[in-house]
Amino acid sequence: MDGGITGAALRRGVDIDALMALVEAFEPPRNGHAAATPEEVAAAERVSRAWTSAEAGPLQPGSEAHRRAICAMFHETFNPYRPAVIDWPRLAPEELQRLTSLPIWDIAVQTEGQARLRFAAYAASLGDREMQATIMLNAWEEDRHKQVLSRLVETYGIALDKEPAYDVPRDAEWGYLLTGFSECIDSFFAFGLFDLARRSGFFPAELVETFEPVIQEECRHILFFANWLAWHRARLSPWRRLRFELRVAGVWIHIAVLRVGLARTIDRKPRNDNFTVHGAQAVSPVPMGFRELLGVCLSENDRRFAGYDARLVRPTTVPWLARQVLRLGGWRR
């Protein structure tokens, strides 16, 4: 298995500098630090969308076969693209204005910055070497996402607020759950918004395609998280499982409080009072309400997961909630 890290080295990380050192020293699969050829990136892109485990039989959550399969999926679908060599396309003035006016850049950069530390901290708490290496790869990829975003905002002159001081989670599992479930929410809507941007022609096709590996990488991330969650739950005793489910409920409540606070923060700025719908309007010339956006997100969610082994668990909470909203039919724009 790629990713040479030791349990002793991981357990040293108790502050931000130590955790970042672990992320930066991590060796991703297929020499991911080296420049990959366009052919290698294209081949990895194909594999990242269609993967089947070599494990025979059902992948029962909690089993060793399930653990091996989800770790293998994450490593074998690794894409070796490098942010430093991305050729950002030149934008026309109106395209640049659309890009810079999107209300996402501060939040996106800060989210990736925090995610890499939370994933690294959780990896540092584990004794399972294979799971350790897989979650540390996830942390490394989150750091790569931050590099992509940082280069984008630098290239196009997008002004950002000063990044806040990132914190090291005192409770590594809580931080991992909080970030994992948050990514499930964000990725679900990102799938739909990205498809709208692709179809609308509001942005050059070259710019959209530049971000395609990042979006598919988020799909891999939440696929792994959903399967880790199923695997972890299945291994708990009844009492530990009850405690864990109470913790999961607490995480969802915490996310809800954070999202309400975020909405209020955005509402104080000169932008639309519905962040998600405003995002849809910013990437498409066609007026779209929240229910229509949910339909696009559900379709894209199903499409992006379709190529992965059907025996793997899929994220279900956010798609289920979206389907309930569509069934109710009472949402107003």
Side-chain angles (χ1 to χ4, degrees):
M1 180 68 69
D2 293 295
I5 52 176
T6 66
L10 281 169
R11 291 186 179 88
R12 287 201 302 269
V14 293
D15 58 34
I16 291 176
D17 290 340
L19 289 174
M20 278 308 304
L22 290 173
V23 173
E24 292 166 358
F26 182 78
E27 286 295 331
R30 297 195 293 277
N31 195 19
H33 286 298
T37 66
E39 293 76 19
E40 288 172 332
V41 172
E45 173 75 6
R46 290 191 294 271
V47 173
S48 74
R49 297 173 178 279
W51 181 90
T52 300
S53 173
E55 298 285 343
L59 298 177
Q60 184 65 31
S63 66
E64 281 300 298
H66 186 220
R67 182 185 65 81
R68 289 193 301 267
I70 62 177
C71 291
M73 179 278 295
F74 206 76
H75 283 78
E76 292 173 12
T77 58
F78 173 77
N79 189 328
Y81 72 88
R82 295 183 66 205
V85 298
I86 291 177
D87 184 18
W88 298 101
R90 185 181 298 274
L91 301 183
E94 64 274 13
E95 294 168 337
L96 182 61
Q97 193 280 329
R98 292 182 196 127
L99 185 72
T100 57
S101 66
L102 289 174
I104 62 172
W105 303 118
D106 285 301
I107 298 168
V109 170
Q110 294 168 20
T111 296
E112 301 292 359
Q114 189 69 68
R116 61 186 174 175
L117 295 174
R118 290 175 176 169
F119 288 162
Y122 185 65
S125 73
L126 300 177
D128 183 326
R129 288 283 303 279
E130 191 172 27
M131 193 64 76
Q132 240 179 30
T134 304
I135 295 176
M136 187 56 74
L137 174 57
N138 201 158
W140 187 90
E141 290 183 357
E142 298 292 353
D143 185 57
R144 184 168 63 171
H145 289 182
K146 187 175 186 297
Q147 293 177 40
V148 171
L149 291 168
S150 296
R151 291 180 182 278
L152 178 143
V153 299
E154 179 183 358
T155 298
Y156 296 118
I158 299 173
L160 297 181
D161 295 336
K162 183 179 179 180
E163 287 186 56
Y166 296 114
D167 64 302
V168 177
R170 294 183 179 180
D171 185 328
E173 184 185 75
W174 174 275
Y176 184 61
L177 290 169
L178 178 62
T179 304
F181 284 123
S182 295
E183 283 204 335
C184 289
I185 298 170
D186 295 337
S187 296
F188 176 80
F189 287 104
F191 296 161
L193 291 172
F194 188 79
D195 184 58
L196 289 176
R198 179 183 59 79
R199 288 188 287 159
S200 70
F202 257 32
F203 301 100
E206 297 87 351
L207 181 62
V208 175
E209 288 307 310
T210 297
F211 265 98
E212 175 56 38
V214 177
I215 300 298
Q216 192 62 33
E217 209 157 68
E218 292 294 355
C219 181
R220 285 173 56 250
H221 289 183
I222 63 175
L223 179 65
F224 174 79
F225 178 74
N227 280 272
W228 169 85
L229 190 65
W231 174 79
H232 184 68
R233 277 173 163 152
R235 296 170 64 246
L236 298 175
S237 66
W239 283 111
R240 290 180 64 201
R241 173 69 182 269
L242 176 61
R243 179 178 176 276
F244 182 74
E245 296 303 339
L246 290 173
R247 164 163 283 210
V248 167
V251 168
W252 277 110
I253 292 170
H254 186 71
I255 289 173
V257 172
L258 289 176
R259 298 290 163 134
V260 169
L262 174 63
R264 288 175 176 171
T265 299
I266 293 172
D267 196 34
R268 288 196 292 268
K269 298 181 180 180
R271 292 171 178 151
N272 190 290
D273 62 355
N274 188 315
F275 178 80
T276 304
V277 173
H278 181 60
Q281 294 169 347
V283 300
S284 174
V286 180
M288 178 169 292
F290 188 64
R291 293 185 70 248
E292 291 85 355
L293 175 60
L294 286 181
V296 175
C297 293
L298 282 168
S299 176
E300 277 298 289
N301 184 77
D302 292 343
R303 183 184 69 83
R304 287 192 177 272
F305 284 111
Y308 296 104
D309 196 317
R311 295 172 295 172
L312 294 178
V313 174
R314 267 57 172 170
T316 57
T317 302
V318 180
W320 180 85
L321 289 171
R323 289 188 175 93
Q324 302 318 301
V325 170
L326 292 178
R327 287 193 182 104
L328 289 173
W331 187 273
R332 296 180 181 177
R333 291 177 58 186

